[in-house]
Amino acid sequence: MPFLILIISSGAFGAAVFFAASRYPTATGAPPPASAAAGRQLSRETVRHPALARLLRGRLDPGTATGLALTLALALAIIGGLMLGALAYLIRSNARLVELDASVGQWGADNGSDRSTQLLQLVTDLASTPVTIAVIAIVAIVAMARLPNRWILPFLITVVLGEVILVNTIKQLLDRVRPTFNPITETLGPSFPSGHSATAAALYAGAALVLARGRSPRTRALLAGGAAAIAVGVACSRVMLGVHWLSDVIAGLAFGWAWFSVCAIAFGGRFLRFGAPVEKAERVAERLPEAASERSVREGSTETP
């Protein structure tokens, strides 16, 4: 039963992320002729409308990951940080949250079995140190073989290593006691936030972002949904195994995705190329004064009797 709940929860969340990602406005996956045509049309619009040109220069900078992607990443980082702070406060001041943590943990302990525990352990190991190292190595090799870039490995290492250092620091500062449903928790450190959940959120989001370069919109959406499903699955497994409270894993997911977003903002422009039409329009927009001047001259000459 606990493993079934994990499958349902992670599957539903992954499907929701896939649906949202598939609606993300992008032209990256368009065929080259369509992409070029879109770029030409957008270029003509920037010449006709100076305000649009200023918007492109200010928000859709192809040197980073595009303005919309950066805005979403920044929003995710802020929301994740706020959630972590709010939960850190509530676990010490809100009795209802403590009761919810206890009831969910007790349900997992009462309904677990040897078989479900084995399956849950397989899922939780997706964020273990050996698997994390293997995922980084495999993703880096595959990504370098497809679209080489020297920033891929530093990005993945920063995503994971930075998250681990920060999470362990927060754990020591808050020093929350772990659940007692599982005897193994006596050998583990502080509980809040969940390190496995944070690692899964950051690692697989980073891997999906790297592997999504040059892919079609549907493939990128599948990668995003898969990464989210794995992270939620790992988080659920930690609760069902009785080694973390529910609020621990929620905070871990929030922090992992927030840290990934910070890294994506920092590294995005170094190896991500979104929206070729925007790049073409931006180049034309940079020459807007000259183009607008030529257009004015042509219009003036046609009006001269």
Side-chain angles (χ1 to χ4, degrees):
M1 189 64 173
F3 186 72
L4 178 61
I5 296 298
L6 180 151
I7 294 296
I8 294 174
S9 300
S10 60
F13 193 85
V17 172
F18 167 77
F19 179 81
S22 64
R23 298 300 184 271
Y24 182 85
T26 177
T28 307
S35 179
R40 288 193 295 271
Q41 178 61 31
L42 193 52
S43 301
R44 288 192 290 268
E45 292 301 318
T46 61
V47 173
R48 295 172 185 171
H49 305 289
L52 177 57
R54 290 193 296 271
L55 175 64
L56 284 172
R57 281 192 289 265
R59 292 302 301 123
L60 299 180
D61 179 8
T64 49
T66 78
L68 177 58
L70 288 179
T71 300
L72 291 175
L74 179 60
L76 185 58
I78 293 174
I79 292 172
L82 291 175
M83 286 185 62
L84 178 66
L87 287 170
Y89 171 77
L90 291 174
I91 60 174
R92 296 180 178 275
S93 61
N94 191 295
R96 291 184 179 180
L97 179 60
V98 174
E99 292 175 0
L100 176 62
D101 279 342
S103 62
V104 172
Q106 188 64 58
W107 184 91
D110 293 341
N111 291 273
S113 64
D114 292 340
R115 181 58 176 169
S116 68
T117 298
Q118 293 174 354
L119 294 173
L120 291 170
Q121 188 62 48
L122 290 175
V123 176
T124 210
D125 284 343
L126 293 174
S128 64
T129 299
V131 173
T132 297
I133 295 173
V135 169
I136 291 175
I138 293 171
V139 170
I141 292 171
V142 172
M144 288 295 291
R146 286 188 61 249
L147 296 173
N149 190 290
R150 63 191 178 94
W151 292 103
I152 291 174
L153 188 57
F155 169 73
L156 292 172
I157 292 175
T158 301
V159 166
V160 174
L161 187 59
E163 169 271 318
V164 170
I165 293 173
L166 292 172
V167 165
N168 285 328
T169 300
I170 296 171
K171 280 187 173 185
Q172 296 302 321
L173 289 174
L174 297 179
D175 197 25
R176 188 186 192 187
V177 177
R178 285 185 184 258
T180 57
F181 306 114
N182 191 330
I184 197 175
T185 57
E186 296 180 0
T187 64
L188 304 177
S191 185
F192 183 93
S194 166
H196 275 68
S197 301
T199 296
L203 169 65
Y204 291 102
L209 186 63
V210 169
L211 295 175
R213 297 178 308 140
R215 302 287 190 180
S216 68
R218 180 177 178 81
T219 300
R220 293 201 303 273
L222 285 171
L223 287 169
I230 292 174
V232 172
V234 170
C236 289
S237 72
R238 303 305 285 170
V239 176
M240 298 303 178
L241 287 171
V243 296
H244 273 294
W245 305 108
L246 176 62
S247 55
D248 294 342
V249 301
I250 294 175
L253 290 175
F255 182 84
W257 283 325
W259 176 247
F260 154 76
S261 299
V262 171
C263 294
I265 293 172
F267 283 84
R270 292 173 172 82
F271 62 86
L272 296 177
R273 305 294 290 175
F274 294 139
V278 173
E279 296 181 15
K280 179 177 179 61
E282 176 68 12
R283 290 194 295 269
V284 173
E286 291 175 352
R287 301 192 297 272
L288 179 61
E290 178 183 350
S293 176
E294 293 176 357
R295 183 167 60 88
S296 299
V297 170
R298 287 197 302 271
E299 291 177 353
S301 62
T302 57
E303 293 175 358
T304 301

